[in-house]
Amino acid sequence: MSDASDTSTDTTGQRERERTAYVIVGGGLAAAKAIEGIRESDTEGAIVLVAEEDRLPYERPPLSKAVLKGEDEMETAYTHDRDWYSDQHVELRLGTPATSLDAEQHALTLADGQSLSYDKLLLATGSSARALDVPGADLDGVLYLREMQESEALKARFKDGARIVIVGAGWIGLEVAAAARDAGCAVTVIEPQAAPLLGVMGEQVGGWFADLHRGHGVEFRFGEGVERIEGETAVTGVVTKSGDTLPADVVVVGVGITPNTGLAEGAGIPTENGIVTDSSLRTFVDGVWAAGDVANWRSVTLGTNVRVEHWANANDGGLAAGRSMAGQDVTYDPIPFFFSDQYDIGLEYAGYVPRGSDAEVLLRGEPSSNEFMAFWVVPERKGVRVLAGMHVNVWDTIDDVQRLVRDRTVVDRDRLADPKVPLGDLT
Ligand SMILES: Cc1cc2nc3c(=O)[nH]c(=O)nc-3n(C[C@H](O)[C@H](O)[C@H](O)COP(=O)(O)OP(=O)(O)OC[C@H]3O[C@@H](n4cnc5c(N)ncnc54)[C@H](O)[C@@H]3O)c2cc1C
């Protein structure tokens, strides 16, 4: 077994002190930020980064936006360049997934058979795209969008007039639809529910997303599913559950993701909708932390455990986990934050609406103007309380939304819905 821990020596060769051995599993944003967090207070510790993908850590949002549209180069998505890792004295084990974890022995086994021992381990293994389980799903031209090479493969197929069928009207499906329309492709989206993003946004706002995309020439098949995908070796069409055949050159599957909890489960680390942590991102097993998409962390403000699949959570959570691992006193307690860009629309969403909540959607401004806000509220004795809020092209408002959520402010519903009342005046 190789040992990530080490001792440092002074100039006379005397043993100085033990260096902490950190191992970070996962090559995404959370992993990269954790290195920054560790190095803030521990410049000596040995850090090994173990990543399944044979690439440096990178950010995924551009893969469905500027990079997919050809506005930015793929290289801009990397979190840091290679020199940065060497400056931070990080040993990179790229393209070498961890295959098992013995949390009692503090030992991690890699796919190449090597074993690493650690003092402190971060699981930042992220999520994987959920597969579409229908006949023909393995045909050439059926694509997913999670990794860089998938974004490259999709971009290469964006030809003027190409017929793209997208399965799933979630965030990935909608962003791909927007990028594909920009490239002049014909786009049809198949979605089993009655509107895009119905579970998160509700009918009204979901309906606005449908109108936005229809206005850009996207066709929707709501209340519809995929029966099978047709083609000899490459996709030629999608047969829907109701028996229609939609001709297709490319099928993009965006039917959700699942957190990569396999290593944790195999090691007996408690998981439930992700890896369960406290508010310092520590799991309930000695020496193991979790951050990013895979972590189901304890939110002090929200009084519940939270797992989100957001860039900001990987960025800030990774940093917080690194700090916590290096011994800083950390309470990770953000209001969840998400953003998206589609066509000329930019939106930001902050807050947390538990699944199954009967929160009401309150609009502020007219959606058809493409400049409006939406709030998810619950009634209180003297008004409403905001669980979450989103703006569409109403910039510089998200801090106020976060404040309303964090402070559990009870506000007058008419004033909240009135764009003339500054959000900052709602107390
Ligand atoms: C196309 C796309 C667009 C997005 N757009 C937005 C957006 O606009 N706004 C927003 O807020 N969020 C967006 N997101 C979500 C955001 O990118 C994620 O929340 C974020 O990437 C999570 O980071 P992470 O480091 O936790 O996990 P990931 O980015 O999933 O990285 C985890 C890494 O761990 C590796 N790994 C897994 N298992 C192992 C193992 N056993 N051993 C070693 N390595 C392993 C994986 O290969 C992967 O590289 C988008 C995501 C995608 C895919």
Side-chain angles (χ1 to χ4, degrees):
M1 180 187 294
S2 86
D3 196 342
S5 68
D6 202 354
T7 52
S8 56
T9 49
D10 64 18
T11 45
T12 60
Q14 295 294 306
R15 216 175 126 94
E16 251 177 19
R17 63 186 150 88
E18 290 282 324
R19 294 202 296 163
T20 304
Y22 300 94
V23 173
I24 297 174
V25 187
L29 176 61
K33 296 303 285 190
I35 296 168
E36 290 182 27
I38 292 169
R39 284 291 181 245
E40 274 181 12
S41 57
D42 185 349
T43 53
E44 297 287 316
I47 303 179
V48 182
L49 176 69
V50 175
E52 181 167 25
E53 291 179 65
D54 197 9
R55 296 185 191 255
L56 294 171
Y58 59 88
E59 308 204 2
R60 297 181 199 269
L63 307 188
S64 54
K65 305 179 188 67
V67 164
L68 186 60
K69 290 197 280 185
E71 292 168 1
D72 283 345
E73 293 298 320
M74 196 64 89
E75 283 59 42
T76 59
Y78 285 106
T79 314
H80 302 286
D81 62 19
R82 195 170 281 272
D83 287 349
W84 184 83
Y85 294 91
S86 96
D87 291 348
Q88 302 301 320
H89 304 290
V90 175
E91 182 184 339
L92 296 172
R93 298 285 185 97
L94 304 182
T96 317
T99 50
S100 71
L101 169 63
D102 184 335
E104 247 173 53
Q105 297 299 319
H106 281 218
L108 181 77
T109 304
L110 310 189
D112 61 8
Q114 281 203 17
S115 184
L116 294 176
S117 72
Y118 63 85
D119 298 314
K120 299 181 179 183
L121 177 86
L122 176 66
L123 294 173
T125 45
S127 314
S128 297
R130 206 172 282 148
L132 184 67
D133 187 15
V134 297
D138 54 354
L139 285 168
D140 181 38
V142 179
L143 304 177
Y144 292 79
L145 183 49
R146 182 82 202 163
E147 300 188 353
M148 265 188 175
Q149 72 272 15
E150 293 169 327
S151 180
E152 277 162 352
L154 186 54
K155 186 168 162 233
R157 289 173 187 257
F158 274 2
K159 306 243 162 36
D160 199 7
R163 296 160 306 176
I164 315 266
V165 172
I166 297 171
V167 184
W171 294 111
I172 295 289
L174 295 180
E175 291 184 359
V176 169
R181 286 300 299 140
D182 268 14
C185 305
V187 178
T188 306
V189 181
I190 299 176
E191 164 60 47
Q193 295 191 303
L197 301 163
L198 193 67
V200 201
M201 294 279 134
E203 235 168 80
Q204 256 178 320
V205 182
W208 171 80
F209 276 101
D211 289 344
L212 170 73
H213 282 267
R214 283 198 190 101
H216 285 85
V218 173
E219 192 186 321
F220 284 99
R221 297 293 184 103
F222 290 122
E224 186 61 286
V226 176
E227 184 64 30
R228 62 177 188 279
I229 300 175
E230 290 189 326
E232 288 285 315
T233 53
V235 58
T236 56
V238 176
V239 179
T240 67
K241 290 233 187 260
S242 54
D244 289 346
T245 299
L246 308 176
D249 304 305
V250 180
V251 174
V252 183
V253 181
V255 294
I257 55 180
T258 46
N260 295 322
T261 52
L263 270 183
E265 280 161 20
I269 296 171
T271 59
E272 190 186 334
N273 178 30
I275 302 171
V276 182
T277 78
D278 65 13
S279 55
S280 67
L281 297 167
R282 224 180 237 271
T283 72
F284 292 92
V285 164
D286 178 53
V288 184
W289 281 253
D293 276 15
V294 79
N296 185 358
W297 45 275
R298 185 74 192 168
S299 163
V300 176
T301 296
L302 300 171
T304 182
N305 270 60
V306 173
R307 192 183 72 77
V308 291
E309 296 151 359
H310 301 167
W311 175 91
N313 178 56
N315 192 73
D316 303 346
L319 192 65
R323 287 173 176 159
S324 174
M325 292 168 79
Q328 291 195 50
D329 188 12
V330 168
T331 303
Y332 180 61
D333 196 23
I335 298 300
F337 167 84
F338 176 82
F339 63 91
S340 178
D341 299 327
Q342 297 163 34
Y343 311 107
D344 51 356
I345 292 296
L347 66 85
E348 295 176 301
Y349 174 103
Y352 184 70
V353 182
R355 263 179 209 285
S357 152
D358 53 3
E360 180 194 348
V361 183
L362 205 65
L363 295 178
R364 179 182 165 97
E366 178 47 53
S368 61
S369 70
N370 288 348
E371 277 185 29
F372 70 103
M373 298 187 76
F375 293 93
W376 286 260
V377 300
V378 287
E380 295 281 346
R381 209 161 50 84
K382 289 190 172 169
V384 293
R385 186 162 57 80
V386 176
L387 300 185
M390 178 180 84
H391 80 80
V392 172
N393 284 348
V394 187
W395 296 98
D396 301 325
T397 49
I398 208 67
D399 289 350
D400 283 323
V401 174
Q402 289 188 318
R403 180 184 54 78
L404 290 172
V405 175
R406 183 178 292 285
D407 296 349
R408 302 172 65 85
T409 318
V410 175
V411 295
D412 180 85
R413 59 181 299 138
D414 292 339
R415 282 167 57 80
L416 180 63
D418 183 352
K420 291 193 289 300
V421 178
L423 286 179
D425 289 356
L426 295 169
T427 48

